[in-house]
Amino acid sequence: MRVYSYETAGGQTSYGLIKDGRIFDAGAPFRARYPDLRAVLEAGALQSLETAAAASSPLDPASVTLLPPVPRPDKILCIGLNYMTHIQETGRERPAKPSIFTRYPSSLVGHGVPLIRPRVSDWFDFEGELAVVIGKAGRAISAADAAGHIAGYTCFNDGSIRDFQRHTTQFWAGKNFDRSGSMGPWLVTADELADPEAQHMTTRLNGEVVQSTPISDLAFSIPALIEYLSTVTELLPGDVIATGTPSGVGLFREPKLFMKPGDRIEVEITGIGTLANMIQAED
């Protein structure tokens, strides 16, 4: 299944499935019990969405605003320096343990919604990533058991305000400007994408390829990340793990290449789809 979260022009939020390019609402019969997709995952009710969507009429995609597939996750855990090519371009050694930082839900928008370049910086960088969404809670999950805790996968753009990221050794400031990153366009369930690390990711800025890599170049695999993260904290349904970006980011180019108002940034992952956003200046 490919699962959307969205908001209608009237302000009603819901979730549904996409089939043949059309959106089918699955939230109407469930919203009293499950107000959003995170609640659906918590209840283990993801598979029931297909039956609900089959009974609904298709929606015009132009009539809704897409949200991140899980609009209010308990945790967004991001992994830095997790592609060997990116580690090499930064001049660092391969880390012995995953480098982790967090983002807040307010820093993310959905597919087709503008990313906001803040007034205080023009160092607005792109980072195409694969994101994993947790479907089953767990603590101290072994790598061998990790697949059983995954609901699915989506595209992620870890939009970064690089000068703020460099203010201190902590990445937080550069990663949490409101509406600076994106996730979507939908959640592809794990049964539809059996081997995410066999996929290929491409990031395009104004149609030009700026990042291109096999997901298999990850320094820490998805099962290894789930094992490590769940050692520290219980992973909950709806939690997002952004698995890192490959080489080609704007900061390490010469000359530097940053996103500016009017640009279009796309993150495409085979087996999932394309996450696209325009860049808009902060009012």
Side-chain angles (χ1 to χ4, degrees), residues 115 117 122 124-128 157 202-212 248-251 253 255-268 274-280:
L115 298 177
R117 191 187 76 173
D122 57 7
F124 191 16
D125 208 347
F126 49 84
E127 293 193 26
N157 186 351
T202 305
T203 307
R204 291 181 291 269
L205 181 61
N206 298 324
E208 297 293 326
V209 173
V210 289
Q211 294 180 294
S212 180
V249 298
L251 179 65
R253 291 173 174 264
K256 292 178 172 52
L257 178 63
F258 295 128
M259 299 183 292
K260 61 186 184 302
D263 284 351
R264 176 182 172 88
I265 188 71
E266 300 172 318
V267 179
E268 179 180 8
T274 301
L275 167 68
N277 304 89
M278 298 298 291
I279 309 303
Q280 180 176 307

Side-chain angles (χ1 to χ4, degrees), residues 37-231:
L37 190 57
R38 174 180 165 186
V40 172
L41 294 172
E42 288 171 341
L46 190 61
Q47 294 304 317
S48 65
L49 298 187
E50 191 155 23
T51 301
S56 70
S57 299
L59 297 172
D60 177 4
S63 70
V64 302
T65 298
L66 297 185
L67 304 172
V70 183
R72 53 175 196 93
D74 183 74
K75 294 180 283 296
I76 303 169
L77 301 167
C78 302
I79 312 301
L81 300 173
N82 198 32
Y83 277 85
M84 295 306 301
T85 56
H86 184 45
I87 294 168
Q88 291 161 6
E89 77 176 348
T90 66
R92 295 179 170 94
E93 297 291 328
R94 185 187 189 280
K97 300 293 182 183
S99 174
I100 304 164
F101 58 93
T102 59
R103 290 191 75 124
Y104 300 152
S106 61
S107 73
L108 299 179
V109 299
H111 170 74
V113 178
L115 298 177
I116 303 301
R117 191 187 76 173
R119 291 188 300 271
V120 294
S121 175
D122 57 7
W123 283 37
F124 191 16
D125 208 347
F126 49 84
E127 293 193 26
E129 307 196 13
L130 169 73
V132 179
V133 176
I134 297 298
K136 177 184 174 184
R139 181 77 188 272
I141 302 166
S142 70
D145 293 334
H149 292 262
I150 296 173
Y153 308 92
T154 189
C155 304
F156 195 93
N157 186 351
D158 185 30
S160 304
I161 313 303
R162 293 298 194 188
D163 47 349
F164 275 74
Q165 182 181 336
R166 289 181 156 194
H167 283 175
T168 72
T169 58
Q170 303 298 314
F171 288 178
W172 173 87
K175 301 289 188 173
N176 279 285
F177 276 79
D178 289 346
R179 298 174 62 184
S180 60
S182 58
M183 182 167 64
W186 45 64
L187 175 73
V188 174
T189 53
D191 59 348
E192 188 173 324
L193 194 69
D195 188 0
E197 294 187 30
Q199 307 307 313
H200 193 95
M201 178 167 59
T202 305
T203 307
R204 291 181 291 269
L205 181 61
N206 298 324
E208 297 293 326
V209 173
V210 289
Q211 294 180 294
S212 180
T213 191
I215 305 295
S216 58
D217 190 48
L218 287 171
F220 297 98
S221 69
I222 291 168
L225 291 174
I226 290 175
E227 181 175 79
Y228 186 83
L229 293 168
S230 68
T231 300

